[in-house]
């Protein structure tokens, strides 16, 4: 099987992240080798988080400067500029919303990739842990068989065959072979401490990954809610929704930079490990497992011989010799000593079971299984895991950009709301085309009909002689113009003189003025009809 260095090639993002300068809190260079327990190395990762904190400070400073300049540089704008501002604000808010949605999409992909990589790592660690546990189980069971069970049967056979010296020598030889097998089993490392550490690492990593994955999902949901609040605030022109969106946008900005700090430190630290994983594992296993064994599993080269090959060969030969000796005793000693048959058959079953354990142990000690788990773990953390962290970092940057734009646009949108409401306040409340009058009409109780004033002005000279007629109560049906007045203003207003030639909306006339209006209109049509015949 090819060596690990040939099969595992660090991706380009690992090389790039590993080349990031490592500085401690005193701005002194630190070795980029992965040393998670070294204080200086921990400070170098903390320094990356502080860099993100500086970025947050600069972002907030820029926003404060922008808002201050916008406030200080306000001046009178033309009507054309006023018409353009709402459009510009709307499109800028749309761009911010699109960036936020794109950030959430990138974040979902990065979160999924990171989660897949971590669980691939956990799966590989779990398989390796089962392999190590299986080795320890087989070694302990074989040792128990040779040291306790076999010794008991050999002791009883020594009592039964005590009268035959040649048979006693055979039993002593079998006892010697059993001791030889137990001696060869000591070559196999005891992985109990390794399995305990792997179990603890797997549990902590799985639990941490679950909360990390869930936290990012909540962050994505928060970002989408903030975008929805901003859109609703602009669409409904609601100051309450807009203020809530701006406050939540500031919170989202802080969380985006915080996630960027965590992602940066995790990505650089993982890349330092992935740049030279063999070196790190050789260093941490030194003193617990022999270097030869560690290299055997890390590289698993065809040119390398197994460090357990000699011990397994001796184990197999000793076991075969014992099986031959038991078969001879069954053939020659049982006819003379029938009571020895049960113990000899029990020994034969023990040896067969030990042979099966030997084959299983040989398969577990082979480097190919553990080496595959090692490569799977590297692929999970160094490819999918770090790649997902990079996408999450991109999500944080895009989200910070979207929230910054949103915070910049918010005051301008607020100003446009205030300006429009102030323009409405300058309009007469009784104006039927005033939107505010329509909004408050339902909240004002209906008033009784008002006594109208007389209008003596008109665009026609024939109306100058009109006198204000007296108001009379009539049972005539209400005209269609009164119905229109009820729709626009809610209260009928009666005019005494028709407004002819003004181009204004049709007024509402009292019943006494209807005849006057019709007569004036007919005269007006006859006068102009003679000049402009149809």
């Amino acid at each position: 099987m090819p060596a690990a260095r040939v099969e595992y090639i660090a991706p380009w993002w690992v090389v790039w992240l590993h080349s990031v300068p490592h500085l401690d809190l005193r701005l002194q260079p630190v070795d980029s080798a992965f040393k998670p327990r070294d204080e200086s190395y921990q400070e170098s990762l903390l320094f990356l988080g502080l860099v993100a904190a500086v970025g947050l400070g600069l972002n907030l400073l820029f926003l404060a400067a922008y808002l201050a300049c916008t406030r200080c540089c306000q001046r009178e704008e033309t009507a054309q500029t006023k018409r353009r501002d709402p459009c510009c604000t709307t499109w800028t808010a749309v761009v911010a919303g699109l960036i936020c949605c794109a950030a959430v999409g990138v974040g979902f992909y990065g979160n999924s990739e990171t989660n897949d990589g971590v669980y691939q790592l956990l799966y590989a660690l779990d398989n390796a842990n089962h392999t190590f546990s299986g080795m320890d189980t087989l070694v302990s069971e074989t040792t128990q068989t040779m040291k306790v069970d076999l010794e008991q049967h050999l002791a009883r056979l020594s009592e039964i065959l005590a009268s035959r010296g040649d048979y006693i020598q055979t039993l002593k030889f079998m006892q010697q072979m059993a001791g030889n097998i137990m001696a060869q089993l000591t070559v196999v490392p005891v992985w109990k401490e390794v399995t305990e550490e792997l179990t603890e690492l797997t549990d902590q990593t799985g639990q941490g990954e679950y909360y990390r994955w869930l936290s990012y999902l909540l962050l994505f949901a928060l970002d989408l809610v903030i975008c929805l609040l901003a859109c609703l605030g602009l669409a409904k022109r609601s100051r309450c929704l807009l203020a809530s969106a701006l406050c939540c946008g500031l919170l989202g900005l802080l969380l985006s930079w915080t996630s960027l700090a965590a992602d940066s430190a995790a990505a650089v630290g993982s890349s330092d490990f992935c740049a030279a994983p063999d070196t790190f594992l050789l260093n941490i296993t030194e003193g617990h497992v022999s270097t030869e064994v560690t290299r055997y599993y890390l590289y698993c080269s065809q040119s390398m011989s197994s460090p357990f090959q000699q011990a397994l060969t001796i184990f197999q030969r000793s076991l075969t010799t014992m099986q031959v000796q038991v078969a001879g005793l069954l053939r020659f000693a049982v006819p003379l000593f029938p009571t020895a048959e049960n113990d000899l058959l029990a020994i034969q079953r023990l040896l067969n079971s030990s042979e099966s354990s030997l084959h299983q142990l040989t398969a577990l000690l082979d480097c190919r299984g553990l080496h595959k788990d090692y490569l799977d773990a590297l692929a999970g953390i160094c490819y999918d895991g770090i790649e997902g962290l990079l996408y999450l970092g991109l999500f944080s940057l895009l989200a910070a950009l979207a929230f910054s734009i949103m915070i910049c646009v918010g005051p301008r949108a607020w100003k446009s709301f205030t300006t429009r409401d102030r323009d409405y306040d300058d309009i007469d409340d009784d104006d039927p085309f005033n939107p505010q009058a329509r909004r408050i009409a339902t909240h004002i109780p209906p008033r009784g009909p008002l006594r109208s004033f007389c209008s003596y002005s008109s665009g026609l000279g024939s109306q100058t002689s009109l006198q204000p007629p007296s108001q009379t109560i009539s049972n005539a049906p209400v005209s269609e113009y009164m119905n229109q007045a009820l729709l626009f203003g809610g209260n009928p207003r009666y005019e005494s003189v028709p407004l002819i030639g003004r181009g204004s909306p049709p007024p509402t006339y009292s019943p006494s003025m209807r005849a006057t209006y019709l007569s004036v209109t007919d005269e007006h049509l006859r006068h102009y009809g003679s000049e402009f015949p149809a």
Side-chain angles (χ1 to χ4, degrees), residues 327-354:
L329 290 176
L330 285 173
R331 182 178 180 182
F332 299 105
V334 170
L336 299 175
F337 303 95
T339 56
E341 183 178 6
N342 293 332
D343 290 310
L344 290 173
L345 291 176
I347 292 175
Q348 191 176 42
R349 287 192 295 269
L350 290 176
L351 294 178
N352 293 335
S353 176
S354 299

Side-chain angles (χ1 to χ4, degrees), residues 447-512:
R447 296 175 294 178
L450 299 178
R451 194 174 291 274
S452 63
F453 294 94
C454 296
S455 175
Y456 299 97
S457 60
S458 175
L460 297 178
S462 61
Q463 297 180 15
T464 56
S465 61
L466 295 175
Q467 299 296 326
S470 60
Q471 299 294 334
T472 60
I473 300 177
S474 174
N475 294 327
V478 180
S479 66
E480 57 180 346
Y481 299 110
M482 182 184 297
N483 294 334
Q484 294 181 3
L486 288 173
L487 290 176
F488 282 97
N491 299 308
R493 302 175 62 181
Y494 296 98
E495 299 285 348
S496 298
V497 178
L499 302 178
I500 303 176
R502 295 186 182 182
S504 60
T508 303
Y509 301 108
S510 62
S512 62

Side-chain angles (χ1 to χ4, degrees), residues 19 33 57 66 75 85 166-168 271 320 383 507:
S19 62
Y66 174 82
R75 57 178 178 266
D85 279 345
D166 53 346
Y167 294 157
I168 296 298
S271 298
T320 302
Y383 281 84

